[in-house]
Amino acid sequence: MSELGFRLWERLHGHVGWLAAAALVHPAWLLRRRRRRAPGVAWGATVLVTVVGLSGALLYPSYREQVKPVLFERAPAVGWMFERKEHLAVGAVALAWAGLLSHLAVPKATSPAVAEGLERVARRCFLGSAALTVAVAALGTWVASTASF
Amino acid sequence: MRGERAATATLVLALFVALYAVLRVGQALAGGEPEPTLVQWSTRIAYFWRLAVAGYGALLGMPVVHRWVVSDCERAVRAAGWAVPASWGLLVVQAAVWP
């Protein structure tokens, strides 16, 4: 892929990343109330953060070859921020899926106690995922302002 | 999706996140990592390797987790409620201290 192609992809990845962060705050906020159902919002936010995660994973080998050496030479502290962002992104995607699956299971729970427990799990998952995604998006923007394709 | 399956999936995903963090800490403590400014290309990318090993480990644990969930779903769901913040905290500490 050309340098321009990588640059456009990186910008798109960053913008959709912020969109995913905003989308994940939505179920985290809605599910603070017990017995609140929001399957569409949960699906949308989870799919969005997964797409961004996959996009980042596909960009990573090129980042490692073309950007990482320059970034670590120019600003090692910012280079380590990128590494932090990659770790947090793993948790953001995994917890979004855990939240979605728990939320979808609430109506089919075998007992009220299980349903209540699943509601609590879904709430915590989306809250954790939203916090991680906001951190990932902020760190990504910081890194991109220092070095990019 | 039924409660048992959701609880299993949540616990397995929390296990995956925790395993990922533990693998990274182990890798950082073991040392011998290449100087980032000198790496131009390699067939093995540590990030993907950690994702694959953590995913494999979590999948291996899935039958045991599922058996426990089926035997006592209420308790397993309660445990999932604590496993999620625990794995989140582990990942945040790992990312902060051992990036």
Side-chain angles (χ1 to χ4, degrees):
Chain A
M1 190 185 277
S2 69
E3 197 183 307
L4 180 65
F6 275 122
R7 201 169 284 182
L8 285 173
W9 185 358
E10 185 208 53
R11 302 295 190 276
L12 191 66
H13 173 72
H15 282 89
V16 182
W18 273 110
L19 200 61
L24 276 163
V25 171
H26 198 181
W29 176 255
L30 286 179
L31 299 181
R32 76 191 188 284
R33 286 188 197 147
R34 281 187 55 201
R35 285 186 279 279
R36 181 77 159 86
R37 302 288 306 139
V41 167
W43 263 114
T46 305
V47 168
L48 200 57
V49 76
T50 306
V51 168
V52 180
L54 286 174
S55 154
L58 289 171
L59 261 178
Y60 188 76
S62 309
Y63 156 81
R64 199 163 157 268
E65 290 165 16
Q66 297 174 37
V67 182
K68 192 175 177 179
V70 180
L71 178 63
F72 269 90
E73 206 163 34
R74 201 183 292 170
V78 182
W80 287 116
M81 286 301 163
F82 184 92
E83 300 302 308
R84 288 188 171 95
K85 162 187 129 65
E86 294 304 284
H87 303 313
L88 299 179
V90 173
V93 176
L95 291 185
W97 277 101
L100 173 68
L101 297 174
S102 300
H103 183 61
L104 294 179
V106 171
K108 295 173 187 170
T110 45
S111 73
V114 171
E116 194 182 321
L118 287 170
E119 279 179 345
R120 190 168 44 244
V121 169
R123 192 165 50 241
R124 287 179 181 180
C125 285
F126 279 118
L127 200 61
S129 180
L132 292 176
T133 313
V134 170
V136 168
L139 290 173
T141 307
W142 184 7
V143 172
S145 69
T146 307
S148 72
F149 286 100
Chain B
M1 181 177 274
R2 291 182 54 179
E4 288 87 352
R5 285 185 196 165
T8 303
T10 301
L11 284 165
V12 168
L13 284 164
L15 179 64
F16 165 72
V17 172
L19 277 175
Y20 177 90
V22 168
L23 278 172
R24 176 60 196 139
V25 172
Q27 201 179 5
L29 293 179
E33 291 183 311
E35 166 63 38
T37 54
L38 301 176
V39 176
Q40 291 298 319
W41 186 85
S42 72
T43 50
R44 180 184 171 279
I45 297 178
Y47 181 55
F48 293 150
W49 175 84
R50 280 194 302 275
L51 285 174
V53 174
Y56 183 65
L59 281 176
L60 279 182
M62 190 161 69
V64 179
V65 171
H66 185 65
R67 202 171 171 151
W68 176 51
V69 170
V70 169
S71 68
D72 192 348
C73 191
E74 277 186 37
R75 199 170 165 189
V77 169
R78 266 203 311 276
W82 291 108
V84 167
S87 65
W88 186 93
L90 198 61
L91 186 73
V92 169
V93 169
Q94 172 265 303
V97 183
W98 295 280

